Amino acid sequence: MVHSNRLFKATAASLVLLAVLTGVALAQGAVSDKLRTGNTVTVAAGETVPNDLYAFAGTVRVDGTVDGDLVASGGTVDVTGTVTGDVLAAGGSVTINGTVGGDVRIAGGTLSVGGAVKEDLLATGGQLTLTSSGTVGEDVIGATGTLTIDGTVTGNVSARAGTYNKAGTIGGTEDVTITGRNDLPPAPGEPGAAPTPERQAIDAIRHFLVVVLVGALLIWLTPRPYAAMKTALRERPVPSVGWGIVAFIGFVVFLIVVLIAVILLAITFGLLGFSDLVGIDILGGTVAILGASLAFSLVAGYVSDALVGVVLAGLVIRGENASRWRELAVLAAGAAVVVLLSSLPVVGPWVKLIVILLGLGAALTAWMRRRRSDAVVGPPGGWMQPPAAPTPQAPGTPGV
């Protein structure tokens, strides 16, 4: 509990520090040129913003020049001037009728590009239109309800759309997938088709082999944590489900906290001019999220099956598991039952959900017990190295 309190205090202190740094950054005079908010944000014709611009308002309009990147969000985003860098914008309506020297990444309900985009155009939304006056220097990548290409694309067009219209020119390849509601279901063996019984059986066998392999690694390489999780699940199966829900929620909260921290740090470093630290911040956040996701997936996907399997098999196979090989055999027998039940058509997903919650709860319970006490948790009936036989002593030796 002491370590948990320290972790909580450290997290809270870090978030407070981020807020303070953000406040310091916002208090600097240079920030006013980078960050603009309000009901309406306008870069008037003839005005030049000599750096990146972050604009958040009901209406964002750029008629002048932004000598850098433009990040904008609002109900309406209209760029008729010049942006020398990239444009990242989201809104109900996003219109690019000016000149953009870099990439354009936009999202919204209605998207229109009638100007010159020197590099890529990436868009997602309800409707994307490249008008007859619009040009894209490289590729167009999109996912929209309606896609209209009336202008000129120098590179490739790769998109998914419900409706596709083209009257313009595409210099590269054209790969547009129409996603209509009346599409026929894919045939067996094609991508997206329902798996055949043979494929399901093969997948179940592969999953079983991986579960046994993970179980063997736990038994041989981490016997104490394995024994602690097994004991927690056997002694308190019902509370383990509740702790499994807590573990799942905690994992989601952790990802959100890390993401918010990364965003706040990136904004703070950017506003303070520490551009070199932005990449380190993003890399660190990515590593933290990927590491936590990998550990969560490993426990939920395989460790849970191994733990529930060995506990179920232990209810039938009585006796002490005096060797690692016997423990692995019991685990394999139980894992086969768990994998089989999880592969059933209707009840399988529900069985898998319960198994995941049991495994997550057992892991969290074992971890909390370890934090509360330095004593090793010994599993009744779990595998432990048999004690060495006492050495015989000659008659007359003290203690005999």
Side-chain angles (χ1 to χ4, degrees), residues 24-108:
V24 172
L26 295 177
Q28 295 186 353
V31 174
S32 61
D33 293 334
K34 288 190 174 183
L35 178 63
R36 300 187 184 184
T37 62
N39 294 329
T40 302
V41 171
T42 302
V43 178
E47 178 185 0
T48 298
V49 179
N51 43 244
D52 297 339
L53 177 62
Y54 302 87
F56 307 99
T59 300
V60 178
R61 184 174 181 85
V62 178
D63 296 327
T65 300
V66 176
D67 191 7
D69 298 333
L70 171 64
V71 178
S73 176
T76 301
V77 178
D78 191 1
V79 179
T80 59
T82 300
V83 178
T84 61
D86 298 335
V87 171
L88 175 62
S93 174
V94 179
T95 303
I96 309 291
N97 286 330
T99 300
V100 179
D103 298 322
V104 170
R105 304 176 181 89
I106 51 178

Side-chain angles (χ1 to χ4, degrees), residues 3-283:
H3 294 275
S4 299
N5 291 335
R6 290 178 179 174
L7 180 61
F8 173 78
K9 292 179 180 178
T11 303
S14 300
L15 293 178
V16 172
L17 179 61
L18 287 176
V20 172
L21 290 175
T22 303
V24 172
L26 295 177
Q28 295 186 353
V31 174
S32 61
D33 293 334
K34 288 190 174 183
L35 178 63
R36 300 187 184 184
T37 62
N39 294 329
T40 302
V41 171
T42 302
V43 178
E47 178 185 0
T48 298
V49 179
N51 43 244
D52 297 339
L53 177 62
Y54 302 87
F56 307 99
T59 300
V60 178
R61 184 174 181 85
V62 178
D63 296 327
T65 300
V66 176
D67 191 7
D69 298 333
L70 171 64
V71 178
S73 176
T76 301
V77 178
D78 191 1
V79 179
T80 59
T82 300
V83 178
T84 61
D86 298 335
V87 171
L88 175 62
S93 174
V94 179
T95 303
I96 309 291
N97 286 330
T99 300
V100 179
D103 298 322
V104 170
R105 304 176 181 89
I106 51 178
T110 302
L111 312 172
S112 176
V113 177
V117 178
K118 300 300 184 181
E119 297 183 3
D120 292 334
L121 169 62
L122 291 86
T124 179
Q127 179 179 348
L128 171 62
T129 302
L130 179 65
T131 66
S132 57
S133 60
T135 61
V136 177
E138 295 185 8
D139 300 333
V140 173
I141 303 173
T144 62
T146 301
L147 174 61
T148 302
I149 303 292
D150 291 336
T152 301
V153 179
T154 303
N156 307 322
V157 173
S158 178
R160 294 177 62 88
T163 303
Y164 177 49
N165 303 301
K166 187 193 76 169
T169 302
I170 299 175
T173 61
E174 183 179 3
D175 182 14
V176 179
T177 302
I178 306 301
T179 57
R181 293 185 177 181
N182 296 326
D183 289 345
L184 295 176
E190 295 183 354
T196 62
E198 293 80 5
R199 172 56 58 184
Q200 290 178 324
I202 294 174
D203 291 341
I205 293 173
R206 290 174 177 171
H207 184 76
F208 167 73
L209 294 176
V210 176
V211 170
V212 174
L213 176 61
V214 170
L217 293 176
L218 289 173
I219 293 172
W220 262 269
L221 301 181
T222 59
R224 289 180 177 177
Y226 164 76
M229 292 186 291
K230 175 183 170 183
T231 300
L233 181 58
R234 179 159 44 189
E235 292 180 350
R236 307 186 65 190
V238 176
S240 293
V241 175
W243 284 116
I245 298 175
V246 172
F248 179 80
I249 296 175
F251 171 71
V252 175
V253 171
F254 171 80
L255 294 183
I256 295 175
V257 170
V258 172
L259 183 60
I260 292 175
V262 169
I263 293 174
L264 288 177
L265 276 174
I267 294 175
T268 302
F269 291 149
L271 295 178
L272 291 175
F274 300 144
S275 57
D276 293 341
L277 296 179
V278 174
I280 298 177
D281 166 53
I282 296 175
L283 177 61

